């Protein structure tokens, strides 16, 4: 054993005491030991490790008979090297190094447990000084001399690669360590090849596994010729022989390890880009063609999973060079249902995306280079493969016959599989195009033609599901084949009652293709031509609310001439579940919106008046039946919100954004005249009265709160989108303030932000003078003090900001909106209100919740910037910077120095740039540069302070300020020189 006299010597009592502590803390749990006692024991052990004398524990603990004590001895060596290597006497550094290598070699030779050896291996990685470049060779030589088995040497080399890659090194250290690894590649290859070139049946399985895990760790470092030399031996491990059969334990271990290694080569080596077709791709494809099916047929399920994963990786590697054999298709032919009988068929779904992408690239290359006969043949083969695929997938996603009792988790797993298959079908469509759609349509027609009364709908439902899945890949303007799907020949033969699954799929398909109907010509009510849109509407039952809503919303103009047909739908509302009425009425309202505004008055009255009346009924019964009345009110508010959404014009109509456009103004005038109709005026008054009463009664209720929020968003609009029932934002903002006074929530503050923004809609032309109207200014002037009183009172309670980050975020978001659009309102606040608001925002800069802090930063920056724009706001700016500038500067600098989370440093930097730019003048109690110097140099500190101050003060742009602040942040947080610090710095 190497000399260890230079280590501290501990008494036998101290060693035994440490061993007892380890056994009590980490040994088999004793029933009488409490968690507090365990924590106390562990803390005592950690304190022992911190002492310089702990070096003397390593050898006695490693020689102990208890494995938990041995592990702690190895762990102590690792901890001391990582933390205290620089503090160890340097004249004994090489002796300590040699001792640790000797101890590790002894452990490998006597066969200590893997978890102990791993600790000792990890400890050796950072132990080498820069004057010892061949440390890997020295360690391996020492292990070999001690008689270590090959698998232990493989494990050491694997850990070396992993630990060096994970080490937090920068600059010269990193490059030097990387060069050390490159210099050791011949040694690593020699160790791996010693195993790979031997007969696999003669080797222990664990030696093969350790060798290939070592290879996987070193693959990113290997040169192309090194990787190439390993491919054939790896393929040999996949290939069965009379002496090396799939039934043997060695084959299973070697196959899995070799498969994983080949996948690493194809994903992380120098051949990962598809190069090396002759040495990698073609040999693998030959192997797949010769042995793939045999392996799947003769091996157990775990081997099938490896084969599925491997075949995808191998085929993906070959895509740069041509068409791959359809081995993957055999996994789709596995019998039974996914999630019940097998779980392998989904493993190769990802291959078909890669296959389709490779084909697309080859077609793109064909536009630049002359297409060859080989290319055309490959495309024919590809289409044949995908044609087979879509047939197989249709079968694989077919549900079992009725009466099959699957567990809930099996059904959910199968549904997930169907969704994943849908993505693969999209890849198939990009190759097959209309031929794929024709296959599924013919399949539907044939099944419907020969279906008997007693037969199920499983195959028909599966084909319909496939058609629904590929919708996003179709060019809806140029897909006339869809007319066959929605014709009486297919859609008209599907069931309208019972058979829940096929009906749900039918409705989902209709809703998915709702926009396709808008591409059809609009037919008059009495047209002799078949109207597919009306055919679909006739198919929809009243419960198909979602499909109906999507269809009506996408085809408003086409359905408007048939508005009378919707009267029957409205008359049948009583038979519709309450939860679906909102969608149905939204569908009707979307068709009404397409009518001329003067013709829309009666139908709007017809659908809205009953809703308002039911809200009134709920309010009247609020004392006798409070819960039932509240639930009814919530339901009617949701229905009214749906109607408001339906009456709002779709945002994709061209030319309906610019209010200065004469056409837009004409449209607004068309709506304004019917809005002034006494019936509509009375209806809006009734709606607002009902809303106000609901706020009075139930504004504290969460369900009511969310229902009102959705309604306020739906029933207000920009001037160009105004409807017959749109309500002005000002009165609704006052209701929000009333509700916030009773209980402040993030919902009310979010609504206030939206309504304040609507009071000053953005101009649609840069030539227009932006700015709110006098009426809007008055509304905000009246409501802002109310919001401040509510919020500052609630957030001023100790701990309230930390406990309510959602309220903090929405509050400062609302204030930022006011600062952006109504900056004057802050100058007209009651005395002390603005000071309290700014102090609250500065306090928020010390929070640890990111979104709250970002919101406060944004508000303060906007307020300072907006108050600097106009001359009449100069007094407001002067008060802000003179009174709060220095305090704000202190909070920003403290945020850099670790008070704030690192993720918000970019926001603090932007706020610092604003403060330095807007507060540069010395009239603001000395100015920003003076505040910075006074704060930073009030206590002594590193030279980085001076560099930071000079850089920021001398900066002429935000980029230089950002660079200086980032560097100062790293220094202040102790991260300078670390790769972690530089990797996470904001750029």
């Amino acid at each position: 054993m190497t000399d260890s006299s230079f280590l501290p010597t501990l008494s036998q009592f101290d060693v035994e005491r440490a061993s007892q502590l380890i056994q009590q803390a980490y040994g088999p749990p004793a029933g009488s030991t409490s968690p507090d006692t365990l924590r106390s024991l562990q803390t005592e052990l950690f304190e022992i490790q911190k002492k310089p004398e702990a070096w003397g524990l390593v050898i006695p603990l490693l020689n102990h008979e208890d494995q938990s004590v041995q592990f702690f001895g190895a762990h102590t060596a690792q901890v001391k090297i990582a933390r205290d290597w620089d503090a160890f006497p340097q004249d004994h550094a090489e002796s300590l190094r040699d001792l640790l290598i000797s101890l590790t070699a002894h452990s490998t030779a006597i066969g200590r447990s893997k978890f102990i050896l791993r600790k000792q291996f990890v400890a050796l990685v950072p132990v080498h000084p820069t004057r010892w470049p061949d440390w890997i060779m020295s360690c391996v030589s020492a292990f070999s001399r001690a008689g270590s088995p090959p698998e232990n040497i493989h494990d050491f080399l694997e850990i070396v690669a992993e630990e060096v890659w994970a080490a937090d090194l920068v600059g010269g250290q990193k490059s030097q360590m990387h060069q050390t690894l490159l210099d050791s590649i011949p040694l690593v290859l020699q160790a791996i090849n010693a195993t790979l070139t031997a007969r696999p049946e003669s080797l222990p399985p664990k030696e093969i596994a350790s060798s290939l895990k070592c290879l996987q760790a070193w693959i990113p470092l290997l040169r192309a010729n090194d990787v190439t030399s390993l491919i054939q031996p790896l393929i040999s491990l996949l290939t069965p022989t009379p002496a090396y059969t799939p039934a043997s334990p060695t084959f299973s271990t070697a196959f899995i390890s070799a498969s994983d290694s080949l996948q690493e080569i194809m994903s992380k080596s120098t051949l990962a880009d598809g190069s090396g077709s002759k040495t990698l791709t073609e040999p693998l494809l030959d192997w797949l063609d010769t042995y793939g099916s045999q392996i799947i047929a003769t091996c157990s399920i775990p081997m099938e999973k490896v084969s599925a994963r491997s075949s995808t990786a191998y085929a993906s590697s070959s895509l740069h060079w041509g068409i791959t054999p359809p081995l993957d298709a055999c996994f789709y032919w596995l019998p039974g249902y996914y999630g019940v009988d097998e779980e392998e068929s989904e493993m190769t779904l990802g291959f078909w995306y890669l296959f389709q992408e490779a084909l697309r690239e080859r077609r793109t290359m064909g536009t630049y280079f002359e297409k060859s006969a080989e290319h055309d043949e490959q495309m024919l083969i590809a289409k044949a493969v995908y044609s087979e695929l879509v047939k197989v997938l249709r079968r694989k996603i077919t549900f079992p016959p009725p009466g099959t009792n699957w567990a809930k988790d099996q059904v959910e797993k199968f549904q997930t599989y169907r969704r994943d298959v849908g993505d693969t079908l999209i890849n198939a469509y990009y190759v097959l195009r209309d031929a794929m759609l024709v296959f599924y349509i013919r399949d539907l027609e044939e099944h419907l033609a020969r279906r008997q009364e007693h037969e199920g709908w499983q195959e028909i439902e599966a084909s319909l599901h496939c058609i629904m899945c590929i919708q996003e890949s179709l060019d809806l303007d140029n897909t006339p084949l869809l007319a066959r799907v929605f014709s009486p020949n297919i859609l008209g033969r599907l069931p309208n009652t019972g058979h829940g699954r096929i009906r749900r799929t039918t409705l989902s398909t209709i809703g998915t293709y709702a926009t396709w109907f808008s591409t059809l010509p609009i037919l008059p009510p009495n047209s002799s031509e078949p109207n597919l849109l009306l055919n679909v509407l006739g198919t929809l039952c009243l419960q198909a609310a979602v499909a109906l809503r999507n269809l009506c919303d996408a085809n408003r103009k086409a359905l408007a001439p048939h508005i009378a047909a919707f009267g029957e739908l409205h008359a049948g509302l009583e038979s519709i579940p309450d939860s679906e009425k909102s969608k149905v009425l939204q569908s009707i309202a979307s068709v009404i919106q397409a009518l001329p505004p003067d013709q829309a008055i009666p139908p709007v009255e017809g659908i809205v008046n009953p809703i308002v009346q039911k809200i009134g009924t709920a309010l009247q019964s609020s004392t006798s039946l409070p819960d039932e009345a509240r639930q009814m009110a919530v339901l009617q508010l949701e229905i009214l919100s749906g109607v408001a959404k339906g009456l709002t014009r779709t945002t994709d109509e061209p030319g309906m954004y610019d209010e200065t456009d004469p056409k837009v103004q004409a449209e607004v005038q068309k709506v304004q005249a019917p809005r002034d109709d006494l019936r509509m005026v009375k209806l809006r008054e009734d709606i607002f009265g009902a809303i106000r009463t609901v706020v009075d009664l139930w504004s504290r209720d969460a369900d009511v709160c969310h229902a009102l929020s959705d309604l306020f968003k739906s029933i207000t609009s920009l001037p160009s989108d105004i409807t017959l029932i749109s309500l002005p934002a000002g009165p609704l903002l006052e209701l929000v303030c009333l509700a916030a006074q009773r209980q402040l929530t993030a919902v009310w503050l979010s609504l206030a932000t939206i309504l304040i923004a609507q009071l000053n809609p953005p101009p649609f032309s840069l030539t227009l003078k932006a700015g709110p109207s006098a009426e809007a200014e008055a509304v905000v002037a009246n409501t802002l003090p109310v919001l401040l009183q509510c919020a500052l009172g609630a957030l001023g309670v100790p701990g309230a900001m930390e406990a309510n980050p959602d309220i903090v975020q929405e509050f400062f978001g609302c204030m930022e909106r006011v600062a952006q659009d109504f900056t004057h309102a802050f100058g007209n606040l009651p005395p002390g209100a603005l000071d309290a608001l700014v102090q609250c925002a500065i306090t928020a800069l010390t929070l640890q919740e990111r979104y709250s802090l970002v919101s406060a930063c944004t508000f303060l920056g906007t307020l300072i910037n907006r108050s600097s724009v106009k001359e009449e706001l100069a007094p407001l700016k002067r008060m802000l910077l003179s009174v709060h500038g220095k305090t704000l500067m202190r909070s920003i600098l403290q945020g850099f120095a670790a008070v704030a989370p690192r993720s918000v440093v970019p926001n603090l930097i932007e706020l610092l740039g604003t403060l330095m730019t807007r507060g540069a003048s010395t009239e603001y109690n000395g100015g920003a540069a003076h505040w910075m110097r006074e704060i930073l140099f009030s206590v002594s500190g590193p030279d980085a302070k001076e560099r930071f101050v000079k850089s920021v003060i001398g900066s002429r742009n935000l980029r230089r300020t950002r660079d200086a602040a980032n560097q100062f942040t790293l220094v202040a947080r102790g991260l300078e020189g670390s790769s972690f610090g530089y990797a996470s710095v904001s750029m």
Side-chain angles (χ1 to χ4, degrees):
M1 181 68 69
T2 305
D3 176 45
S4 61
S5 59
F6 58 88
L7 292 179
T9 302
L10 301 179
S11 66
Q12 187 64 28
F13 173 80
D14 291 336
V15 173
E16 290 179 357
R17 171 60 181 162
S19 301
Q20 291 173 358
L21 288 173
I22 296 167
Q23 291 172 317
Q24 292 174 3
Y26 299 103
S32 59
T33 306
S34 67
D36 290 339
T37 303
L38 285 175
R39 282 194 293 271
S40 176
L41 291 170
Q42 292 168 359
T43 301
E44 186 174 352
L45 286 172
F46 294 152
E47 291 300 321
I48 291 174
Q49 277 186 332
K50 292 179 181 179
K51 297 178 180 179
E53 294 81 6
W55 287 106
L57 282 174
V58 174
I59 296 177
L61 295 183
L62 281 173
N63 291 331
H64 198 277
E65 60 184 10
D66 190 331
Q67 285 193 346
S68 61
V69 179
Q70 295 173 15
F71 176 81
F72 197 83
H75 178 62
T76 300
Q78 180 191 351
V79 170
K80 297 300 290 181
I81 291 169
R83 295 179 182 174
D84 302 332
W85 176 261
D86 293 337
F88 193 82
Q90 290 303 300
D91 53 339
H92 294 302
E94 293 191 11
S95 299
L96 176 60
R97 176 199 71 194
D98 296 339
L99 174 63
L100 291 171
I101 294 174
S102 177
L103 291 172
T104 306
H106 177 68
S107 295
T108 62
I110 64 175
R112 283 209 169 108
S113 298
K114 293 282 188 182
F115 70 97
I116 298 174
L117 290 177
R118 181 173 183 85
K119 273 291 177 185
Q120 292 187 269
F121 290 157
V122 171
L124 286 177
V125 173
V127 80
H128 66 92
T130 55
R131 60 181 178 274
W132 187 37
D134 59 341
W135 62 281
I136 298 177
M137 172 66 79
S138 299
C139 291
V140 171
S141 299
F143 299 160
S144 299
R145 288 194 301 271
S148 301
E151 57 263 29
N152 286 343
I153 295 177
H154 296 151
D155 292 343
F156 169 72
L157 292 173
E158 175 194 358
I159 287 171
V160 165
E162 292 174 350
E163 290 296 313
V164 170
W165 280 116
D168 187 18
L169 302 173
V170 295
Q173 286 182 316
K174 186 172 184 178
S175 60
Q176 183 180 15
M177 186 69 84
H178 183 71
Q179 185 59 48
T180 301
L181 294 181
L182 294 178
D183 294 341
S184 303
I185 287 178
L187 169 68
V188 175
L189 291 175
Q190 179 182 357
I192 294 171
N193 279 317
T195 300
L196 291 183
T197 55
R199 290 185 302 159
E201 64 271 16
S202 66
L203 297 175
K206 59 183 180 181
E207 180 179 338
I208 298 176
S210 64
S211 172
L212 295 183
K213 284 185 178 178
C214 174
L215 169 61
Q216 293 164 32
W218 283 78
I219 277 175
L221 290 162
L222 300 182
R223 293 178 290 270
N225 58 335
D226 296 329
V227 175
T228 301
S229 67
L230 297 169
I231 292 173
Q232 194 55 51
L234 288 172
I235 295 178
S236 298
L237 291 177
L238 301 176
T239 307
T241 65
Y244 178 60
T245 65
S248 66
T250 302
F251 185 88
S252 177
T253 301
F255 187 96
I256 293 173
S257 299
S259 172
D260 290 342
S261 299
L262 285 167
Q263 290 178 65
E264 290 291 302
I265 288 175
M266 289 180 284
S267 61
K268 296 181 181 178
S269 76
T270 52
L271 305 182
D273 60 354
S275 58
S277 61
K278 295 294 183 182
T279 55
L280 175 62
T281 305
E282 293 182 9
L284 282 174
L285 292 178
D286 289 340
W287 180 90
L288 286 169
D289 188 47
T290 306
Y291 297 101
S293 299
Q294 176 187 347
I295 296 296
I296 295 168
T298 59
C299 292
S300 60
I301 289 298
M303 290 296 294
E304 283 183 356
K305 292 182 178 180
V306 174
S307 299
R309 195 169 60 242
S310 303
S311 63
T312 298
Y314 304 162
S316 301
S317 173
S318 70
L319 290 178
H320 292 270
W321 303 99
I323 306 301
T324 62
L327 172 71
D328 292 82
C330 68
F331 293 102
Y332 296 109
W333 285 108
L334 289 172
Y337 295 95
Y338 178 82
V340 179
D341 304 308
E342 55 87 13
E343 294 188 357
E344 287 71 53
S345 58
E346 62 88 25
M347 290 185 176
T348 53
L349 288 175
F351 162 76
W352 298 103
Y353 164 74
L354 298 173
F355 195 4
Q356 180 259 316
E357 282 294 297
L359 292 171
R360 182 183 62 82
E361 290 177 7
R362 291 180 67 79
R363 282 199 298 268
T364 302
M365 290 173 62
T367 62
Y368 297 100
F369 304 103
E370 184 178 355
K371 293 185 178 179
S372 63
E374 180 186 3
H375 175 270
D376 293 337
E377 182 182 359
Q378 288 177 345
M379 292 306 300
L380 287 175
I381 296 174
K383 290 184 178 181
V385 171
Y386 273 103
S387 296
E388 185 67 17
L389 174 69
V390 298
K391 296 175 185 177
V392 174
L393 289 181
R394 206 277 295 161
R395 180 185 65 79
K396 287 297 294 182
I397 67 167
T398 302
F399 271 95
T404 306
N405 295 320
W406 281 0
K408 182 180 178 182
D409 63 322
Q410 291 174 325
V411 176
E412 292 176 351
K413 188 175 290 187
F414 190 70
Q415 293 279 26
T416 301
Y417 174 67
R418 279 166 60 105
R419 286 195 295 271
D420 294 339
V421 166
D423 295 334
T424 302
L425 289 173
I426 291 175
N427 303 137
Y429 178 81
Y430 286 131
V431 176
L432 299 175
R433 299 294 176 177
D434 285 351
M436 179 176 172
L437 196 56
V438 167
F439 165 75
Y440 285 128
I441 292 174
R442 286 179 178 172
D443 187 71
L444 281 171
E445 292 172 339
E446 292 171 2
H447 275 90
L448 287 168
R450 66 173 182 261
R451 182 184 175 276
Q452 300 297 317
E453 187 67 28
H454 64 278
E455 293 179 346
W457 295 88
Q458 299 88 253
E459 291 82 4
I460 296 172
E461 187 274 340
S463 293
L464 202 59
H465 176 82
C466 292
I467 292 174
M468 178 180 66
C469 288
I470 62 174
Q471 181 270 340
E472 67 179 72
S473 59
L474 300 182
D475 180 3
L476 297 182
D477 292 329
N478 299 290
T479 313
L481 286 168
L482 289 174
R484 291 168 61 182
V485 178
F486 299 107
S487 68
N489 194 37
I490 293 181
L491 189 63
R493 292 172 141 185
L494 299 178
N496 287 325
T497 58
H499 310 289
R501 180 169 290 117
I502 178 66
R503 288 172 60 209
R504 286 193 297 271
T505 303
T506 302
L507 297 174
S508 297
T509 304
I510 293 172
T512 300
Y513 283 98
T515 55
W516 173 76
F517 292 94
S518 64
T519 66
L520 302 178
I522 299 176
L523 299 176
N526 299 323
S527 174
S528 59
E529 296 184 33
N531 193 320
L532 290 180
L533 186 54
L534 291 183
N535 179 55
V536 170
L537 284 175
T539 302
L540 293 176
C541 59
L542 289 176
Q543 287 77 14
V546 175
L548 178 67
R549 181 185 62 188
N550 293 345
L551 197 65
C552 291
D553 187 59
N555 300 276
R556 298 179 177 207
K557 292 182 178 180
L559 290 171
H562 308 280
I563 188 64
F566 289 88
E568 299 176 8
L569 180 61
H570 185 257
L573 278 177
E574 294 305 321
S575 62
I576 300 176
D578 288 341
S579 59
E580 304 300 317
K581 286 181 180 178
S582 173
K583 301 182 185 73
V584 175
L585 285 173
Q586 181 176 343
S587 306
I588 298 174
S590 64
V591 178
I592 294 174
Q593 185 274 325
L595 293 171
D598 55 338
Q599 297 179 23
I601 293 176
V604 168
E605 273 192 306
I607 63 174
V608 175
N609 268 328
I611 302 172
V612 178
Q613 291 168 5
K614 288 182 179 180
I615 295 176
T617 302
L619 294 171
Q620 291 173 4
S621 59
S622 60
T623 54
S624 57
L625 299 169
D627 291 339
E628 291 82 353
R630 179 179 48 78
Q631 292 173 4
M632 180 188 291
V634 169
L635 176 61
Q636 298 307 315
L637 290 172
E638 291 173 349
I639 293 174
L640 183 57
S641 178
V643 172
K645 292 174 183 176
L647 290 174
T648 303
R649 181 178 52 246
T650 54
T651 56
D652 58 350
E653 294 184 31
M656 298 308 294
Y657 298 98
D658 188 356
E659 294 179 5
T660 63
D661 189 330
K663 293 182 179 179
V664 176
Q665 294 176 352
E667 289 293 327
V668 173
Q669 288 300 318
K670 285 182 182 179
V671 177
Q672 190 58 48
R675 273 181 61 87
D676 294 337
D677 186 284
L678 294 178
R679 291 170 292 177
M680 289 295 98
V681 173
K682 175 68 165 53
L683 182 60
R684 291 196 300 275
E685 290 175 352
D686 292 343
I687 293 172
F688 183 79
I691 293 173
R692 182 180 183 88
T693 309
V694 169
V695 171
D696 285 336
L697 284 177
W698 293 308
S699 62
R700 291 186 177 88
D701 182 84
D703 291 336
V704 174
C705 182
H706 286 288
L708 286 171
S709 173
D710 192 38
L711 176 60
F712 282 18
K713 295 172 186 175
S714 305
I715 210 166
T716 56
S717 68
L718 295 174
S720 59
D721 289 325
I722 197 167
T723 72
L724 296 181
I725 65 171
S726 294
L727 298 180
L732 293 178
L733 179 59
E734 293 172 357
L735 291 185
V736 168
C737 291
L738 175 64
Q741 285 179 299
R742 296 177 176 177
Q743 184 178 25
L744 184 68
T745 66
V747 173
W748 296 128
L749 290 169
S750 175
L751 272 180
T753 306
I754 293 171
L755 295 173
I756 290 170
Q758 289 192 357
L759 288 170
N760 184 30
F764 291 90
S765 173
L766 296 176
T767 60
L768 296 177
K769 181 181 179 181
S773 64
E775 181 182 357
E777 294 262 16
V779 171
V780 174
N782 292 331
T783 54
L784 179 59
V786 178
L787 290 173
L788 286 179
Q789 182 183 9
C790 300
L792 295 178
L795 299 177
V797 178
M801 283 191 178
E802 292 80 359
N804 300 282
D806 56 335
I807 293 180
V808 176
Q809 179 186 354
E810 294 297 344
F811 171 61
F812 287 116
C814 180
M815 293 300 101
E816 195 272 334
R817 187 75 265 165
V818 177
Q820 190 72 40
D821 294 337
F822 298 91
T823 318
H824 290 84
F826 289 108
N828 299 325
L829 286 171
L834 181 59
D835 287 334
L837 171 61
V838 177
Q839 288 169 5
C840 180
I842 294 175
T843 302
L845 297 184
T846 63
L847 297 175
Q848 294 301 300
E849 201 278 324
R850 180 179 183 273
Y851 295 105
S852 302
L853 203 157
V854 169
S855 184
C857 275
T858 305
F859 160 64
L860 289 168
T862 301
L863 182 59
I864 294 172
N865 277 321
R866 295 294 294 175
S867 63
S868 304
V869 172
K870 296 182 179 180
E871 186 63 32
E872 59 267 27
L873 293 173
L876 175 61
K877 174 186 177 183
R878 188 177 304 109
M879 189 280 294
L880 284 172
L881 296 178
S882 298
V883 176
H884 303 285
K886 184 177 179 180
T887 307
L888 177 57
M889 178 68 77
R890 186 184 304 277
S891 293
I892 295 171
L893 297 176
Q894 288 174 343
F896 291 152
V899 171
R902 296 190 65 210
S903 60
V904 302
V905 168
N907 304 90
L908 292 173
I909 291 173
E910 187 171 347
L911 184 56
L912 174 64
T914 299
L915 197 58
M916 296 300 297
T917 302
R918 303 298 189 182
S921 175
T922 56
E923 67 174 306
Y924 308 123
N925 284 343
H930 173 73
W931 305 332
M932 178 178 287
R933 287 185 175 279
E934 187 174 324
I935 294 167
L936 286 176
F937 298 121
S938 59
V939 293
S940 60
D943 295 337
K945 287 184 179 182
E946 183 64 36
R947 294 197 300 271
F948 172 57
V949 171
K950 289 182 177 179
S951 298
V952 173
I953 294 176
S955 172
R956 294 177 179 269
N957 54 59
L958 183 60
R959 180 176 179 179
R960 289 189 59 187
T961 300
R962 182 187 297 115
D963 293 342
N966 279 326
Q967 185 61 35
F968 177 72
T969 299
L970 294 177
V971 174
R973 296 175 186 240
L975 297 173
E976 186 181 27
S978 70
S979 59
F980 171 74
Y982 286 113
S984 56
V985 76
S986 68
M987 299 305 294

